[in-house]
């Protein structure tokens, strides 16, 4: 057992089996050994995977166009907040601020970063020195926003989930137990927090299926949405509708690490990312339940194209050609590699295949 496993084993010995959400929370966010909380770079080129904002600033630049439209729909107020949950290395905020610079929208823009991990906040502060950005350590601490946007990229799939299984017509919850010096999963009755919901799913879930319930994400989003009076939420993530997720017999828990992709979340916690697909039907219900209008989830590539991604690629092609003409090899190479990065953001088999959920409140019918 590694150090975090030993620590988790001790918690289980003291307090009993852990539901998977509690386990995932420790594996990712234990202050000292958790995969994210340990403070190493995870989501950029020096980490285990590259997210869209870290792939190329065009991602943030295109989203800034959406934010600007929302700002206009709100009547171009003097102050407009973009609240980002889980900003990682801070690349998104940097590119939004840069894209909005020297515009009336940029004058109004205030970015609020919700960051729980001090080491990440420190790196974000260095990257965003002098930018109109403030930090809070929890969504609860965000001040009410009269007009603004909520944004999160690849955060909801890192939000702890309960793990359940339907076998022979009965739904059980999977708990992490400590036995013979090892951690493993064992079925038990669903915990009180989800028992009612689990029972209600009995007819929806096919027999022999493992599935997740993301109740923590409900709470996070309900609190976040409650902070914004008028505006839009843009949530980018790996996810699908409830119906489609029920067809995945083994569930969607997947781990990413320096060693690659695997489906063994109990092995070597703290050294790997643990993710579960977002249930967009569930997220939509959270937003509509508190008076937001929710659109059908859209693929990232469609959303970025409708915000003008093709124009970005054209501009990079022209920049490349101009650099070649004047014999500036470094600039030509940079434009070429950025074109590749923007194409990766649009690749339906890669980052372009993530889904975007758009929810609006008080801004009429906005489509992107
Ligand atoms: C896969 S990384 C994505 C980082 C960044 N959004 C990006 O796209 O590069 C997920 C991040 O979400 C953060 N996170 C997860 N749940 C959070 C919460 N409830 N509040 C704030 N941050 C959270 C994690 O700490 C981690 O830094």
């Amino acid at each position: 057992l590694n150090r975090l496993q030993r620590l988790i084993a001790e918690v289980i010995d003291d307090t009993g089996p852990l539901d998977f959400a509690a386990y995932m929370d420790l594996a990712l966010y234990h202050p000292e050994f958790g995969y994210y909380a340990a403070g190493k770079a995870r989501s950029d080129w020096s980490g285990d995977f590259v997210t869209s904002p870290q792939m190329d600033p065009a991602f943030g630049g295109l989203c800034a166009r959406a934010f600007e439209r929302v700002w206009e729909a709100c009547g171009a107020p003097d102050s407009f907040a973009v609240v980002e949950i889980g900003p990682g290395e801070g690349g998104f905020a940097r590119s939004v601020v840069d894209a909005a610079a020297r515009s009336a929208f940029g004058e109004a823009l205030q970015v609020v970063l919700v960051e729980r991990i001090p080491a990440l906040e420190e790196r974000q502060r260095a990257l965003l020195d002098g930018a109109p950005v403030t930090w809070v350590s929890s969504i609860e601490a965000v001040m009410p926003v009269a007009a603004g946007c909520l944004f999160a990229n690849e955060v909801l799939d890192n939000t702890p989930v309960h793990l359940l299984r339907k076998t022979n017509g009965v739904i059980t919850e999977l708990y992490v137990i400590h036995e013979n010096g090892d951690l493993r999963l064992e079925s038990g009755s669903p915990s009180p927090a989800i028992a009612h919901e689990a029972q209600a799913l009995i007819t929806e879930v096919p027999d022999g299926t493992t599935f997740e319930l993301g109740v923590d994400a409900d709470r996070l989003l309900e609190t976040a949405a409650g902070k914004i009076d008028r505006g839009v939420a843009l949530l980018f993530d790996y996810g699908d509708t409830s119906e489609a997720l029920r067809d995945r017999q083994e569930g969607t828990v997947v781990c990413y690490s320096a060693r690659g992709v695997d489906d063994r979340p109990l092995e070597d916690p703290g050294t790997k990312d643990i993710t579960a697909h977002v249930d967009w039907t569930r997220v939509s219900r959270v937003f509509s339940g508190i008076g937001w209008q929710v659109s059908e989830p859209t693929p990232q590539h469609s959303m970025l194209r409708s915000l003008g991604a093709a124009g970005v690629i054209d501009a990079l092609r022209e920049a490349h050609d101009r650099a070649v003409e004047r014999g500036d090899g470094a600039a030509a190479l940079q434009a070429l590699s950025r074109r590749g990065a923007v194409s990766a953001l649009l690749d339906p088999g890669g980052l372009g295949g993530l889904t975007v959920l758009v929810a609006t409140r008080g801004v009429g019918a906005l489509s992107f």
Side-chain angles (χ1 to χ4, degrees):
L1 297 188
N2 71 23
R3 277 197 296 187
L4 182 55
Q5 269 171 318
R6 280 207 301 277
L7 204 138
I8 291 171
E10 278 166 27
V11 172
I12 294 172
D13 292 345
D14 283 351
T15 62
L18 288 179
D19 62 55
F20 192 77
Y23 171 80
M24 190 167 160
D25 196 44
L26 286 169
L28 297 181
Y29 307 114
H30 178 276
E32 203 175 343
F33 304 120
Y35 177 77
Y36 282 109
K40 291 197 179 124
R42 301 299 193 187
S43 50
D44 74 354
W45 295 102
S46 61
D48 293 340
F49 49 88
V50 180
T51 54
S52 296
Q54 300 302 131
M55 179 64 77
D56 193 88
F59 179 81
L62 291 167
C63 290
R65 294 184 187 174
F67 298 153
E68 186 167 0
R69 278 195 223 162
V70 180
W71 170 71
E72 282 162 1
C74 288
D78 289 345
S79 172
F80 186 86
V82 170
V83 178
E84 182 182 6
I85 306 174
E89 297 303 312
F92 182 76
R94 181 73 264 171
S95 46
V96 168
V97 169
D98 289 346
R102 291 177 296 281
S103 70
F105 169 59
E107 296 279 296
L109 178 65
Q110 283 292 324
V111 178
V112 180
L113 297 182
V114 182
E115 181 54 72
R116 308 184 290 191
I117 300 163
L120 288 188
E121 180 180 327
E122 211 172 292
R123 288 205 290 278
Q124 293 155 12
R125 282 187 184 274
L127 182 71
L128 290 157
D129 191 26
V133 181
T134 53
W135 279 261
V136 289
S137 60
S138 72
I139 195 69
E140 285 76 15
V142 174
M143 299 298 280
V145 169
C149 290
L150 176 69
F151 174 85
N153 182 65
E154 291 200 40
V155 172
L156 300 176
D157 69 336
N158 281 139
T159 305
V161 289
H162 287 258
L163 204 53
L164 295 106
R165 184 175 286 159
K166 182 172 167 189
T167 329
N168 300 326
V170 179
I171 292 188
T172 52
E173 178 159 7
L174 299 178
Y175 293 89
V176 181
I177 63 161
H178 175 213
E179 199 175 62
N180 302 328
D182 216 2
L183 298 182
R184 61 177 190 82
L185 290 173
E186 188 177 78
S187 294
S189 310
S191 35
I194 56 155
H196 183 71
E197 189 181 351
Q199 197 51 36
L201 288 171
I202 197 105
T203 53
E204 266 183 50
V205 177
D207 223 44
T209 302
T210 300
F211 62 102
E212 302 96 28
L213 285 186
V215 285
D216 287 19
D218 294 0
R219 283 195 293 270
L220 176 67
L221 292 173
E222 208 171 278
T223 310
K227 299 284 181 183
I228 298 177
D229 233 26
R230 301 178 69 194
V232 167
L234 282 190
L235 306 171
F236 288 70
D237 229 309
Y238 293 96
D240 219 325
T241 59
S242 296
E243 203 185 353
L245 290 173
R246 303 290 175 251
D247 288 340
R248 299 175 63 133
Q249 263 212 323
E250 305 303 322
T252 68
V253 172
V254 173
C255 308
Y256 297 88
S257 70
R259 302 176 296 284
V261 183
D262 72 73
D263 59 358
R264 298 181 302 279
L266 302 190
E267 254 180 52
D268 239 352
T271 70
K272 54 170 78 168
D273 193 12
I274 305 177
T275 70
H277 270 37
V278 178
D279 180 340
W280 290 125
T281 312
R282 189 183 182 95
V283 172
S284 302
R285 220 180 290 130
V286 169
F287 277 93
S288 46
I290 48 175
W292 288 61
Q293 270 79 50
V294 190
S295 312
E296 284 292 304
T298 321
Q300 169 167 315
H301 63 86
S302 319
M303 164 75 102
L304 295 184
R305 280 189 196 286
S306 76
L307 289 169
V312 174
I313 291 183
D314 287 345
L316 288 168
R317 186 178 296 119
E318 284 161 22
H320 169 264
D321 293 349
R322 280 197 308 273
V324 169
E325 266 169 36
R326 63 174 193 273
D328 185 345
L333 194 62
Q334 197 199 18
L336 192 68
S337 86
R338 281 202 60 201
R339 233 171 76 198
V342 177
S343 303
L345 296 175
L346 301 173
D347 175 7
L351 288 171
L354 267 79
T355 335
V356 193
L357 191 87
V358 181
T360 63
R361 174 154 72 182
V363 289
L366 267 178
S367 65
F368 303 110

